[in-house]
Amino acid sequence: MELRRPSPMPRAWIVIAGFLIAGIAGLGAYFLPVFETAANSTLGAGSIPNLNPAATPTQPFTVLLLGSDDDAKFPPDRLNTQSMILIRVDPTTKQATMLSIPRDLWVPIPDQGTGKISTAYQIGGAKAAIAAVESNFKVHIDDYVWIGLNGLVKLIDELGGVNLFITNPVLDDFYPADLNPNGNPYDYYRIAVLPGASHLDGVRALQYARSRHGDQRGDFARSERQQLLLLAIKAKSKHWNIANLPAVANVMNGEIKTSIGLDRLRALLAISDDFDGTHIHRVVLLPPYTNEGYAAGQDVLFPDWGRILPLVHQSFP
Amino acid sequence: MTRPLIGAALALAMLVFGFGVYHAAGLLKVDHSMVNRPNEITAPALPGTVYLAQRGALYRFRNGSFTQITPEGGWMQPAVSPDGRQLVAVQRKTNYSDLFVLTATGRPTSQITHNNTSALPEYNHWVFYPRFSSDGSTLFYDYDHKDGYSSYQVDLAIFATPTASWRSSVQWSIPHPYTGGDVSPAPIQGGIVFTKFWIDDQSMVHSQVWLQARPRSQGVPLTPKDVNCVQPAVSADQKSIAMICTRGQTQSTELNVASYDATTATLGIPTTLVKAELIASPAFSPDGKSIAYLAPVTPGGAFQLWTVGVSGNPAPRAFTTTLGLDSSSSPVWVAN
């Protein structure tokens, strides 16, 4: 009895399938850091209050940006947020608003009592920070992104630096030398970021955005510089494409936490070109919206909600 | 025997294909970090010599080629004496910076300032922006004279020292406190022009090109506060001033040039020569017909050397495309 030879078609398909699988495996290997970072950094939807996963790229959405000193001064699970910026993006009108929330703002924090708003994250993580902002500012937050110091430096270096116009010299004799994990986190050094158009690497950009001692406006100046740095990062990342994501994911692994899933990220990338600096409204809660004071043995900022809430609701309806 | 060989060859081909896809995906990545050292490239020739700084080294650009004249050791902001025989440049370290005299070929011959102390970081000092007076007798520069009563106050002020001895410095400007100070002195007939910063009641930062005739005199603004101008450069005949102005914008700058009348100490109506994303550190050519400046060639890119005619003609032209020039170091353009 003669054995029937298999027809050549299935064999060809097997070879094609083999090449397809090899190609997909190659792509998968290339994008593996993205999936790993997404798995490590994305918080489950259920753990964020009032999360709105149904928002589509055509609907306005809000993101709370949180920045922490994640050096050895603080236990990894007890970080406060040195920077809190609430962003609202309206894809239809192509308008965006950035509201810097002062870290020393003295507010009721749900389940924690009254304290500086920066401590909400320290005690209750992103969930508590979001709850504090939502309950005090009467806004809804869709997503959050938390980033550590080293993460910001690495992100900017991965971008190849950012371009900024430095409005005035930023000089500080007591700038924290806390980026080196093996150094003394209480050491400090001097910085001088010179004015004018500049191309800043990650460390210099962080100095620019973090320094607060030598400016008449203290933390408010820092808030403004942080907003300008965000705009510069956005301007630079405009030239990215999806092939840049694995390298970014590699450098950011462990330095970023977010509730933004890959779907939302893709949608954000798709609309990012529509926003330039002229359509981004920047708000800093300077006096008289806030007033310096003293509470529980520390310098704080007291909010004037009668002024703040109407201002916030203009931009965060 | 043939079948296993074919199977093995196909498996190998699939493996290679998989690696190829992996690397092809990587090639699609946009990489902004490629920067050449100036001495690795050539560029169209400019008349005369231009001194520039990049990554802590000074370079001389002459006849279309760059020569590195110092090692990469924190060198920045070169100034050239009127006779062209010596340079003064800043060497910047972590907590301090110092002024050095160098030969035109970049060899340090003497140290003018000694701002380093091994004690606490805040006991160190900064020095920046050296500029020779037109007769070469005086060097103007920035120095952070500290406030003894507030350790947080660090503002740069403009000082001057005689080049004959490099001693007995005189403080010229009195900066507004906690603004970062007064920067970028440029000697001019009747005194110096520089950038003065101040912060208004609404917490807005303003920068103005300021003229000051004598040490510690009041001085007068040459530009309106809302135009926000910085980095003045003076032409060799001292009849024109170039400057960078932002009009309050955060990602848009103008290179403006205006006539200067020394008798009335006023600027004429400025002409905008270039409007671009970010422009830095203008410097006149020795004949005053062109202005060199630094700006990216692509949005978000590193800074390159450009020139433009003072009348707008010739049009702006990039002489380099792959460098990462130090935008706080004005090009110094000399005849020889």
Side-chain angles (χ1 to χ4, degrees):
Chain A
M1 188 175 145
E2 191 182 336
L3 283 172
R4 247 179 48 194
R5 291 168 65 93
S7 80
M9 272 309 284
R11 208 175 281 161
W13 280 114
I14 288 168
V15 171
I16 291 168
F19 276 100
L20 267 177
I21 291 167
I24 290 167
L27 274 181
Y30 184 79
F31 286 103
L32 185 63
V34 179
F35 301 122
E36 281 179 345
T37 302
N40 294 336
S41 64
T42 306
L43 204 67
S47 56
I48 299 180
N50 302 322
L51 191 76
N52 178 16
T56 68
T58 57
Q59 294 174 312
F61 59 91
T62 49
V63 180
L64 181 63
L65 300 184
L66 304 167
S68 292
D69 292 359
D70 56 343
D71 55 71
K73 286 197 289 290
F74 306 96
D77 58 345
R78 304 287 287 176
L79 306 175
N80 62 18
T81 45
Q82 299 287 338
S83 173
M84 301 178 86
I85 301 177
L86 182 62
I87 301 179
R88 181 179 189 270
V89 178
D90 188 335
T92 308
T93 61
K94 299 184 182 1
Q95 300 284 329
T97 303
M98 292 196 290
L99 166 70
S100 284
I101 298 170
R103 63 175 189 159
D104 292 340
L105 201 65
W106 191 251
V107 294
I109 301 171
D111 304 325
Q112 293 181 24
T114 301
K116 289 184 178 181
I117 199 165
S118 60
T119 61
Y121 185 89
Q122 191 173 37
I123 295 169
K127 185 177 175 179
I130 291 169
V133 174
E134 286 192 331
S135 61
N136 285 289
F137 287 85
K138 316 295 180 203
V139 293
H140 167 80
I141 295 171
D142 292 310
D143 279 302
Y144 86 96
V145 177
W146 172 92
I147 190 165
L149 295 178
N150 278 300
L152 187 64
V153 171
K154 289 174 184 173
L155 173 68
I156 292 167
D157 284 339
E158 180 58 33
L159 283 167
V162 290
N163 285 357
L164 271 166
F165 190 88
I166 314 259
T167 55
N168 57 320
V170 178
L171 305 179
D172 190 341
D173 276 6
F174 299 93
Y175 184 83
D178 50 8
L179 281 184
N180 179 0
N182 301 318
N184 177 357
Y186 293 96
D187 276 351
Y188 58 92
Y189 65 104
R190 309 183 75 220
I191 62 160
V193 184
L194 299 177
S198 299
H199 186 78
L200 304 181
D201 64 12
V203 169
R204 195 58 64 87
L206 184 66
Q207 292 172 353
Y208 167 75
R210 198 179 173 207
S211 169
R212 67 191 175 89
H213 293 122
D215 196 303
Q216 181 180 316
R217 299 164 300 158
D219 269 354
F220 296 116
R222 183 161 79 156
S223 296
E224 188 173 287
R225 292 197 299 269
Q226 288 167 356
Q227 292 184 348
L228 294 174
L229 179 59
L230 273 180
L231 289 178
I233 291 172
K234 191 217 144 285
K236 192 69 182 280
S237 60
K238 198 165 103 173
H239 308 288
W240 271 356
N241 60 42
I242 197 164
N244 288 84
L245 287 180
V248 176
N250 254 332
V251 299
M252 299 296 286
N253 209 355
E255 288 288 342
I256 190 167
K257 292 178 183 147
T258 180
S259 61
I260 300 177
L262 287 175
D263 284 351
R264 175 67 66 87
L265 184 63
R266 202 167 55 236
L268 284 172
L269 284 174
I271 62 170
S272 66
D273 278 0
D274 295 337
F275 292 87
D276 59 28
T278 57
H279 294 111
I280 299 176
H281 179 48
R282 297 183 289 118
V283 182
V284 177
L285 296 176
L286 295 160
Y289 295 99
T290 55
N291 298 290
E292 289 181 4
Y294 199 67
Q298 51 193 327
D299 293 322
V300 302
L301 281 178
F302 291 113
D304 182 344
W305 293 116
R307 294 178 192 268
I308 291 175
L309 290 180
L311 175 76
V312 168
H313 290 156
Q314 281 175 16
S315 306
F316 295 83
Chain B
M1 187 62 191
T2 316
R3 271 192 201 166
L5 275 178
I6 292 172
L10 279 172
L12 187 66
M14 289 170 192
L15 201 63
V16 170
F17 180 69
F19 274 111
V21 168
Y22 178 89
H23 286 289
L27 292 176
L28 297 174
K29 181 181 156 189
V30 179
D31 189 354
H32 293 280
S33 57
M34 283 294 294
V35 167
N36 286 112
R37 285 190 170 89
N39 53 348
E40 294 171 344
I41 67 160
T42 57
L46 274 171
T49 302
V50 181
Y51 291 90
L52 298 149
Q54 176 171 317
R55 286 189 179 168
L58 300 182
Y59 292 86
R60 188 179 60 220
F61 179 51
R62 184 183 287 165
N63 299 326
S65 66
F66 290 89
T67 305
Q68 184 174 347
I69 62 170
T70 69
E72 290 185 351
W75 293 103
M76 61 188 291
Q77 297 179 341
V80 180
S81 62
D83 63 8
R85 293 170 65 179
Q86 62 180 10
L87 309 179
V88 168
V90 174
Q91 189 176 38
R92 181 174 179 165
K93 302 288 186 181
T94 299
N95 285 319
Y96 66 94
S97 56
D98 276 312
L99 292 175
F100 285 80
V101 181
L102 303 92
T103 64
T105 55
R107 184 174 57 82
T109 56
S110 62
Q111 184 170 348
I112 302 171
T113 60
H114 297 82
N115 290 330
N116 178 28
T117 170
S118 56
L120 295 170
E122 63 269 30
Y123 292 169
N124 291 268
H125 287 277
W126 297 116
V127 62
F128 293 115
Y129 303 110
R131 279 289 175 268
F132 284 93
S133 61
S134 57
D135 63 1
S137 65
T138 305
L139 185 82
F140 293 92
Y141 60 93
D142 264 289
Y143 177 71
D144 60 338
H145 181 65
K146 299 285 184 62
D147 177 352
Y149 299 98
S150 172
S151 55
Y152 283 162
Q153 186 177 344
V154 194
D155 291 312
L156 294 165
I158 293 164
F159 283 70
T161 187
T163 56
S165 64
W166 302 116
R167 288 183 186 166
S168 63
S169 291
V170 173
Q171 182 172 352
W172 266 65
S173 76
I174 301 171
H176 294 301
Y178 291 101
T179 60
D182 302 331
V183 300
S184 306
I188 197 168
Q189 189 181 349
I192 56 169
V193 290
F194 58 94
T195 310
K196 186 176 261 310
F197 298 95
W198 58 283
I199 298 170
D200 67 17
D201 294 342
Q202 305 300 311
S203 282
M204 295 293 294
V205 177
H206 298 280
S207 53
Q208 289 177 285
V209 173
W210 204 266
L211 172 71
Q212 200 174 310
R214 294 177 308 282
R216 291 179 175 269
S217 64
Q218 178 70 30
V220 291
L222 294 180
T223 57
K225 70 181 176 77
D226 294 330
V227 183
N228 288 306
C229 297
V230 297
Q231 298 175 337
V234 179
S235 61
D237 64 6
Q238 310 210 351
K239 291 182 177 172
S240 300
I241 294 179
M243 63 207 128
I244 305 298
C245 303
T246 67
R247 299 185 189 278
Q249 299 298 306
T250 57
Q251 291 281 330
S252 171
T253 50
E254 295 173 357
L255 169 56
N256 290 344
V257 65
S259 59
Y260 172 67
D261 185 340
T263 54
T264 58
T266 54
L267 278 186
I269 296 169
T271 304
T272 299
L273 300 179
V274 187
K275 189 168 183 174
E277 180 201 11
L278 289 176
I279 307 169
S281 299
F284 280 92
S285 61
D287 63 7
K289 292 180 179 172
S290 301
I291 295 173
Y293 62 95
L294 306 177
V297 289
T298 54
F303 282 75
Q304 311 299 328
L305 176 64
W306 293 69
T307 64
V308 63
V310 291
S311 60
N313 188 23
R317 178 187 184 189
F319 278 71
T320 65
T321 55
T322 60
L323 302 184
L325 295 169
D326 174 359
S327 62
S328 73
S329 297
S330 286
V332 182
W333 195 346
V334 295
N336 300 308

